[in-house]
Structure formats: C-alpha cells, structure tokens
Amino acid sequence: MLQHVWLIPVGFLLGAYGTIIGAGGGFLLVPLLLFAYPEEAPDTVTSISLAVVFFNALSGTLAYSRQKRIDYRSGLIFSAATVPGAILGALSTNLFSRRLFDGMFGALMILATALLVLRPTKKAKPNPLGSSQYQRRVVTEANGTEHAFFYNLPLGIGISVVVGYISTLLGVGGGFIHVPALVHLLNFPVHIATATSQFILAVMALTGTGVHLLTGTFTHGFRRTLMLGIGVLVGAQMGAYFSERLRGDWIIRGLAAALGLVGLRLVWRALAL
C-alpha cells in the first residue's frame, strides 16, 4: 500500500485540472499509468483509469451542482446515449496490443488538439424556429449569470454514442472529446459545457467500470485506484472552485496544450517499440 501513496498527490492534480477543463483527467492518467507500469495490459490500465474518472467526475459534479452550471436535461439525454457505446468499449479493451493501444490513443489526442487549435472562428448560429431537432436551453448559475443557447439534439446524441465507445475503450472518460464538441458543434457556453461534461462522465465511467467488474477485466489495481481516488475527490473540488474564475478561452487552451504534449509522447513511444 505504501508504495502507492505517491498516487494521492498525482490524483489531486489530475482531479483539479481535469475538473477545470471538464475532461475527468483520464486522458492524462492513462499515459501516466502506461509509463509508470509498462508491464500492465491495456485492459488493466483502462479499468483503473475509468474507475478514477468516475470518482473525479462524481466529485466535480457535486461541486458544479452547487454552482448551478450543469444542464441536467441535456446531460441526462447525452448520458443515456453514451451507455451503449460505453458497454461496447469496455468489452473491446482486451482486443488490442499494447503498441496499437498506445498509438491509437496518442493519435486520437493529437487529432483532438488539432480540432481545438484550428477551430472555426465563428460558431454556427442555427435558427431553431420550425425545426424540432433543435433544443433551446437556459441555464442560470448560482451567481446570477444566465446562459441561453440552442443545439442540434440528434447531433448531440450521435456524438455521445461515439464518445461513449472511444472513451471507455481507452479508459479516459471522454471529456476531452465531449467538451470541444459541446462548445464548437453544439454551441454550449464553455463553463456550462465543462460542468455538464462532468455530469455525463460520472454516468459513463460508472457504466464502463461496472462492465469491467462484471466481465472480470478489473481484477487487480484496487490499491492504486484507492490512492488515486482519494486524490481526485479532493482535487476536483479545488478544480471547480478555480474554474469559476477562469475565462472560457483559457480553459480550452489548457485542454489543447495537455492533449498535444501527451499525444505526441505516446505516438513516439508506439513507433519506437
């Protein structure tokens, strides 16, 4: 147990940063576990990471709930859409070799970085009148800030199904995909997107972890999960506190920077194996 104590401060930092950007921290935890435990199989790494993502997302959701920044109606719809993909992704983790797993994960992160950096300068302004596929949402934060926006419901559901599969397959939670999609494809305000993403992650990560437990994939690594879980539970509260004080564009830049660096490192590792 003592040899894993160093994971508590790591979990704290991951929880804080992951909650700020609404990504759960799994996209940083997976490469860290891959580097720290090179002998571990991909399914063990994803099982540990996904369980930690759940604790992070749960803590972040509670914090964002107090700030009233979660769009619960949209979050419930998107959460339900992630469940089929999450189950399929959890059942697919043992089908990939470590080298392919590293390369696939790194490439996905680089792609997400490119989408953030090269994002359109102008968001789509759909006119929802006369179209049932658009949903109008109004979210009022605890400080009185009101956000009114529209989004394409079928597109949001489709994105969530894909995110559920990819994120659970890789054990990363999927917020690093969902947040940019919510902001740039579905017109969510950044702070509402990050908070709602945490809520969605909690449901999705719990589903994936449950499948891992039922199928016997998650058979060891519980001590490491416990140490990381302690850290992220506290760190997520801190992240939600600081998120309220950061501008939306800085949150997106922070997400892009982390994704790019880690993605390049993993691709290089996969090519060198």
Side-chain angles (χ1 to χ4, degrees):
M1 180 73 78
L2 291 179
Q3 70 267 31
H4 300 311
V5 172
W6 67 276
L7 292 173
I8 295 179
V10 170
F12 176 84
L13 294 174
L14 290 174
Y17 186 69
T19 301
I20 286 174
I21 61 178
F27 71 99
L28 292 174
L29 179 56
V30 167
L32 174 63
L33 293 175
L34 292 173
F35 298 148
Y37 305 101
E39 75 284 354
E40 290 287 8
D43 53 359
T44 298
V45 171
T46 56
S47 297
I48 294 173
S49 176
L50 206 57
V52 174
V53 166
F54 165 69
F55 290 118
N56 187 2
L58 177 63
S59 181
T61 295
L62 293 175
Y64 283 137
S65 177
R66 292 193 297 270
Q67 297 174 6
K68 296 185 177 180
R69 288 167 55 183
I70 300 174
D71 180 359
Y72 287 105
R73 186 176 185 279
S74 300
L76 286 171
I77 294 173
F78 295 156
S79 296
T82 65
V83 170
I87 293 174
L88 184 59
L91 295 173
S92 304
T93 55
N94 60 353
L95 301 179
F96 300 92
S97 68
R98 179 62 180 269
R99 179 177 183 178
L100 178 59
F101 185 85
D102 285 5
M104 183 171 58
F105 184 67
L108 181 61
M109 296 182 78
I110 293 173
L111 175 61
T113 302
L115 292 175
L116 287 175
V117 173
L118 302 175
R119 67 187 185 275
T121 57
K122 200 184 280 188
K123 292 182 183 179
K125 300 291 184 181
N127 181 358
L129 297 179
S131 177
S132 60
Q133 68 181 7
Y134 286 102
Q135 296 287 307
R136 182 177 188 272
R137 303 298 301 143
V138 178
V139 178
T140 304
E141 298 184 39
N143 62 11
T145 303
E146 183 178 285
H147 304 274
F149 55 98
F150 299 93
Y151 69 85
N152 186 311
L153 180 59
L155 178 60
I157 291 174
I159 291 172
S160 297
V161 172
V162 175
V163 168
Y165 175 74
I166 294 176
S167 61
T168 309
L169 171 67
L170 301 177
V172 294
F176 73 98
I177 305 173
H178 230 161
V179 171
L182 289 173
V183 173
H184 297 299
L185 298 179
L186 300 178
N187 300 317
F188 273 63
V190 173
H191 287 93
I192 304 304
T194 53
T196 304
S197 174
Q198 286 290 93
F199 175 70
I200 297 169
L201 285 178
V203 176
M204 183 167 52
L206 179 61
T207 302
T209 299
V211 174
H212 282 308
L213 288 171
L214 290 174
T215 58
T217 303
F218 197 5
T219 57
H220 67 281
F222 296 110
R223 291 179 180 178
R224 283 171 284 180
T225 302
L226 176 62
M227 296 296 102
L228 288 164
I230 292 172
V232 299
L233 284 171
V234 180
Q237 297 294 313
M238 187 66 67
Y241 172 81
F242 282 110
S243 176
E244 206 172 19
R245 289 153 178 78
L246 289 175
R247 285 169 35 195
D249 57 344
W250 281 105
I251 293 175
I252 295 298
R253 288 172 187 171
L255 175 57
L259 288 175
L261 290 174
V262 177
L264 288 172
R265 178 67 179 88
L266 276 176
V267 170
W268 178 84
R269 175 188 173 90
L271 294 174
L273 287 177

